[in-house]
Amino acid sequence: AVLANNRLFIHAGKSSKSSIVITQIGESGENCFNNLVTEVIVEDNAHFTIHKIQSDNDSNTQVATEQIAQGYNSTFKINTVTLNGLLVRNNINIAVNGQNCSTYMNGAVIGKNNQHVDNHTFVDHRVPNCYSNENYKYVLDGKSTGVFNGRVVVQKDAQVINAYQNNGNILLSDHASINSKPELEIYADDVKCSHGSTTGQLDEDALFYLQARGISKKNAKRILVSAFIGEVIESYEDETITELIQQLLEKEHGWTF
């Protein structure tokens, strides 16, 4: 067993454009705990992206926390794909300090066995004229469990804010479960904000349609699940990263999108 406490500090300078790939992959270690804190300052007019891929083994636990501060006219995006790990928790806290900012959060969770995956996000809109969009999708099988808690706060003087939040979940097993809690706290009056959460099973009509065309039930499920999470995976916009996700999906879950 190993306890790892890692801290990563990133300063994205003015008018810069950059991205980082964080991969958390466990091979031989057992009963390990990884605690990763990433602090990011995104200066004025900067564009910064975090691609995060979590594929630990069935006995390891990890907590990842991102603390983000955005300056004027900046863009920040974080894409998180969680494929394995006994217990995984992601904490994303974003302070939107400058006007004309754009903030994007995308997440895909594929759970099985007794895994638990927990995503907590917080966007604090402190100033006017900003945009945020959040999209998290869970696919849970076996006895796996998930939590999504997305919180958006629009402060009193933060007018003309567009903030959107979506959480979609598919349960492949009667024993899997998800707890979803999207939250909006709005103290300004000139805003466009929405949030939504849906949980269900695969569409039986769509399964029947695919099987009627000679596709096995197992492959039909894979096709429907792939289409469901494909929107999130495509947000990576990097062929090398999506190929890695493909390989890990095949290794951990026996299918690709």
Side-chain angles (χ1 to χ4, degrees):
V2 175
L3 170 63
N5 293 294
N6 305 299
R7 178 177 179 268
L8 177 64
F9 176 74
I10 299 167
H11 190 161
K14 290 184 178 181
S15 302
S16 64
K17 185 175 183 180
S18 55
S19 64
I20 186 172
V21 181
I22 300 174
T23 55
Q24 297 165 318
I25 298 175
E27 290 293 338
S28 57
E30 294 185 357
N31 301 314
C32 299
F33 178 75
N34 182 30
N35 178 33
L36 173 63
V37 175
T38 303
E39 298 174 77
V40 182
I41 296 175
V42 187
E43 293 276 14
D44 296 355
N45 300 303
H47 295 251
F48 185 72
T49 300
I50 295 176
H51 300 298
K52 189 164 63 169
I53 303 170
Q54 300 170 313
S55 185
D56 217 324
N57 65 38
D58 291 339
S59 69
N60 290 347
T61 298
Q62 59 178 281
V63 176
T65 301
E66 285 82 31
Q67 299 285 142
I68 315 298
Q70 285 188 251
Y72 170 79
N73 200 39
S74 66
T75 299
F76 173 74
K77 178 187 287 188
I78 182 165
N79 302 314
T80 305
V81 172
T82 306
L83 305 177
N84 204 0
L86 177 63
L87 187 151
V88 180
R89 172 156 175 154
N90 295 299
N91 304 302
I92 303 174
N93 302 306
I94 303 174
V96 185
N97 297 321
Q99 294 194 38
N100 299 320
C101 284
S102 297
T103 307
Y104 302 89
M105 289 164 284
N106 301 294
V109 175
I110 300 92
K112 62 179 181 178
N113 301 331
N114 293 306
Q115 294 169 6
H116 178 81
V117 181
D118 204 338
N119 282 292
H120 287 248
T121 67
F122 173 41
V123 181
D124 188 4
H125 283 289
R126 299 176 174 181
V127 295
N129 303 306
C130 291
Y131 172 87
S132 65
N133 195 315
E134 184 172 2
N135 188 22
Y136 275 75
K137 294 191 173 183
Y138 286 63
V139 178
L140 301 177
D141 204 352
K143 295 181 180 179
S144 62
T145 56
V147 171
F148 172 77
N149 181 202
R151 183 172 173 232
V152 176
V153 174
V154 180
Q155 302 292 353
K156 182 179 178 180
D157 296 324
Q159 303 292 347
V160 195
I161 298 293
N162 291 344
Y164 305 101
Q165 190 182 91
N166 179 59
N167 171 226
N169 311 294
I170 289 180
L171 303 180
L172 299 178
S173 162
D174 291 338
H175 303 291
S177 64
I178 178 77
N179 292 291
S180 179
K181 188 185 179 187
E183 298 180 59
L184 285 175
E185 293 182 36
I186 302 172
Y187 301 103
D189 52 17
D190 186 7
V191 301
K192 291 181 180 178
C193 298
S194 67
H195 62 184
S197 177
T198 58
T199 299
Q201 298 175 323
L202 290 178
D203 188 330
E204 291 296 331
D205 290 338
L207 275 175
F208 178 80
Y209 177 87
L210 292 172
Q211 289 177 267
R213 277 145 184 80
I215 299 172
S216 70
K217 187 173 184 178
K218 184 177 181 180
N219 285 334
K221 284 185 175 181
R222 289 178 179 176
I223 290 171
L224 294 177
V225 169
S226 299
F228 179 70
I229 68 164
E231 176 188 3
V232 174
I233 305 298
E234 288 168 3
S235 66
Y236 274 65
E237 299 176 345
D238 187 308
E239 189 173 331
T240 303
I241 298 174
T242 54
E243 285 179 0
L244 173 60
I245 296 171
Q246 290 264 24
Q247 294 170 9
L248 293 171
L249 265 174
E250 190 167 7
K251 175 186 174 184
E252 301 294 347
H253 299 275
W255 55 273
T256 57
F257 61 91

